[in-house]
Amino acid sequence: MFNALEMAPPDPILGITEAFKKDPNPGKINLSIGVYRDAKGATPVLESVKRAEERILATEKTKNYVSPNSGTVEYCAAVQELIFGAGHEVLASKRAATAHTPGGTGALRVAGDFIKEVLGGKRVWMSEPTWPNHPSIFQASGLELGTYPYYDAVHKTLDFEPMLDALKKVPAGDYVLLHGCCHNPTGMDPTPDQWKAIADVSAKQGWIPLFDFAYQGLADGLREDAEGLSAFLGQGRELFICSSFSKNFGLYNERVGALTVVGESEVAAEKALSHLKRVIRTNYSNPPAHGSSIVTTVLNDAELRALWEGEVEAMRDRIAGMRQLFVDTLRAKGVLQDFSFLTKQKGMFSFSGLTKEQVARLRDVYAIYIVSSGRINVAGMTEENMNPLCKAIAEVLSN
Ligand code: LMR
């Protein structure tokens, strides 16, 4: 029966890294998957994480199941404090409930299943473009998909008015996926005023916001990056937040994330959590503990937390530096197109504007791997690979 199957297409992001690994070219460059690299091109374990792991190794007494299966009280409290900020009204009123999930993808899938099975939701609207896994996840949950305009490819900016117009037509009770910060794939985020306008439309229309908050800390700062979310929280709305610690803790392969739901009261949040536990039980039963122990240890220890916040800041600064160097180097290589829009974008990703054909040529001729949409991972650039990278792009653009 397996032989009767057609081969499945490779994943548009993971498949590129698989191809990259097989490429024997010693000068190959991977700007596809959203993984941070330091100035040497490595993805090291953060110092704060290493120290937390040493402590965990020395004190851990059991590998018993995580209980409850929605995550430990300590982890869920630490996640909420990071999302909302200490002393926030949502924390004081206890109207949020958090479930520990395997990564941000796990959070999105648990949210999708909960929306479909428990809340009877019908449809999720997502930005055009969005992370290619978003539609696949919500489709797998049995939800219908809709899209709203997001990016103006001509002016390399947010397509704000058309976006808002589309959101004004989303029916009450539908769900709208919003990227909390560092929009994936465009790197274009709404301004605080634009966030406020989106929140106003949501309140008026009655659609429910579902935040993918996978990059907290990588745009402007841990608190600053929650600005979009705050616009909705200020209105006392019910909403969903999917967090990931893959990027800001560098815990990619530990699969640690969280789904937080914000309800109208503590009782409402407790009810929601009781259902999330059931959704999790029938999916992966219990979350993996190691990554969450690291996150809890770091966030709850003043010294480790300060160290981690410094490490997040260093990642953010290096990415911003690479954006500028990329723009400058392209210009130095004689590229006439203006790439300065890249310095206005946030987080790891940018929409380069490179066409599918140019992306294919970069891969086939120069062993430079980019997602076919033209999305580039700026965090994969280094001072060392910048010259060959920009030289190749200049050549491809001039052909
Ligand atoms: C990305 O968009 O490259 C990251 O979110 C990693 C992934 O899982 O696709």
Side-chain angles (χ1 to χ4, degrees):
M1 66 186 163
F2 303 129
N3 198 35
L5 296 173
E6 291 290 333
M7 283 293 283
D11 182 83
I13 295 173
L14 303 182
I16 299 178
T17 293
E18 286 176 35
F20 175 83
K21 278 186 141 178
K22 287 188 196 139
D23 192 328
N25 188 329
K28 62 187 177 177
I29 300 173
N30 188 2
L31 301 184
S32 61
I33 192 160
V35 169
Y36 177 81
R37 297 215 182 73
D38 65 13
K40 294 194 188 102
T43 306
V45 182
L46 297 188
E47 182 56 29
S48 53
V49 167
K50 267 278 175 229
R51 291 211 209 154
E53 283 185 311
E54 280 161 17
R55 282 192 206 174
I56 293 164
L57 211 61
T59 56
E60 192 175 51
K61 293 200 173 59
T62 180
K63 294 284 185 190
N64 197 348
Y65 291 119
V66 171
S67 178
N69 74 337
S70 51
T72 64
V73 173
E74 294 78 16
Y75 174 72
C76 295
V79 170
Q80 289 190 11
E81 199 252 16
L82 187 65
I83 296 173
F84 303 115
H88 195 282
E89 169 276 317
V90 169
L91 300 181
S93 62
K94 300 195 177 146
R95 62 188 186 94
T98 294
H100 169 189
T101 57
T105 303
L108 289 160
R109 181 60 195 264
V110 171
D113 290 355
F114 176 72
I115 288 169
K116 173 73 185 172
E117 292 165 19
V118 183
L119 300 175
K122 261 184 80 178
R123 199 176 298 109
V124 179
W125 297 78
M126 44 203 86
S127 62
E128 173 54 47
T130 193
W131 182 46
N133 211 17
H134 280 148
S136 310
I137 290 169
F138 293 114
Q139 202 163 33
S141 290
L143 290 158
E144 290 171 30
L145 312 177
T147 60
Y148 57 87
Y150 189 81
Y151 187 65
D152 176 345
V154 176
H155 302 98
K156 314 271 193 264
T157 181
L158 197 68
D159 207 8
F160 187 62
E161 289 308 325
M163 171 186 179
L164 213 56
D165 286 346
L167 294 180
K168 282 177 189 161
K169 296 189 190 103
V170 171
D174 272 9
Y175 294 78
V176 173
L177 180 71
L178 299 159
H179 300 219
C181 65
C182 307
H183 183 267
N184 181 2
T186 68
M188 281 307 305
D189 290 335
T191 63
D193 283 346
Q194 289 171 333
W195 274 121
K196 203 171 164 313
I198 299 167
D200 288 345
V201 169
S202 170
K204 196 154 169 245
Q205 280 300 116
W207 49 254
I208 300 129
L210 165 55
F211 276 87
D212 184 343
F213 203 18
Y215 295 87
Q216 186 178 3
L218 290 183
D220 294 313
L222 288 163
R223 293 274 34 91
E224 292 83 345
D225 292 354
E227 189 117 24
L229 195 57
S230 301
F232 289 81
L233 293 172
Q235 298 175 332
R237 301 293 312 286
E238 294 185 301
L239 49 84
F240 292 73
I241 305 151
C242 300
S243 303
S244 167
F245 300 112
S246 296
K247 326 285 172 165
N248 53 14
F249 272 84
L251 288 171
Y252 306 91
N253 68 9
E254 296 294 353
R255 308 311 298 140
V256 53
L259 169 63
T260 298
V261 296
V262 181
E264 62 176 29
S265 64
E266 183 177 356
V267 173
E270 271 173 17
K271 287 182 182 171
L273 188 65
S274 72
H275 286 277
L276 289 174
K277 286 181 190 173
R278 288 183 51 240
V279 170
I280 289 169
R281 179 66 169 150
T282 54
N283 189 336
Y284 50 84
S285 187
N286 292 73
H290 188 65
S292 69
S293 300
I294 296 168
V295 171
T296 311
T297 304
V298 171
L299 292 181
N300 286 340
D301 180 276
E303 196 190 325
L304 289 184
R305 188 176 180 130
L307 177 61
W308 171 69
E309 289 190 9
E311 292 185 292
V312 176
E313 190 179 346
M315 288 194 244
R316 195 166 60 231
D317 289 351
R318 202 192 84 76
I319 295 172
M322 284 302 110
R323 285 185 180 279
Q324 191 61 57
L325 187 63
F326 183 57
V327 173
D328 295 346
T329 313
L330 283 175
R331 203 173 298 132
K333 299 279 177 216
V335 171
L336 298 176
Q337 286 102 313
D338 181 17
F339 276 90
S340 60
F341 63 89
L342 265 112
T343 58
K344 294 193 203 86
Q345 301 171 337
K346 301 286 161 110
M348 290 190 180
F349 305 119
S350 270
F351 239 21
S352 62
L354 291 164
T355 63
K356 268 195 174 50
E357 293 69 34
Q358 289 166 337
V359 169
R361 195 170 150 75
L362 281 170
R363 183 193 58 226
D364 296 343
V365 180
Y366 303 96
I368 293 171
Y369 288 74
I370 291 172
V371 179
S372 66
S373 63
R375 185 195 83 169
I376 47 175
N377 174 17
V378 183
M381 297 178 189
T382 62
E383 288 190 18
E384 205 183 314
N385 69 23
M386 195 60 84
N387 261 312
L389 170 68
C390 292
K391 191 162 172 278
I393 293 179
E395 281 168 17
V396 163
L397 286 173
S398 67
N399 265 311

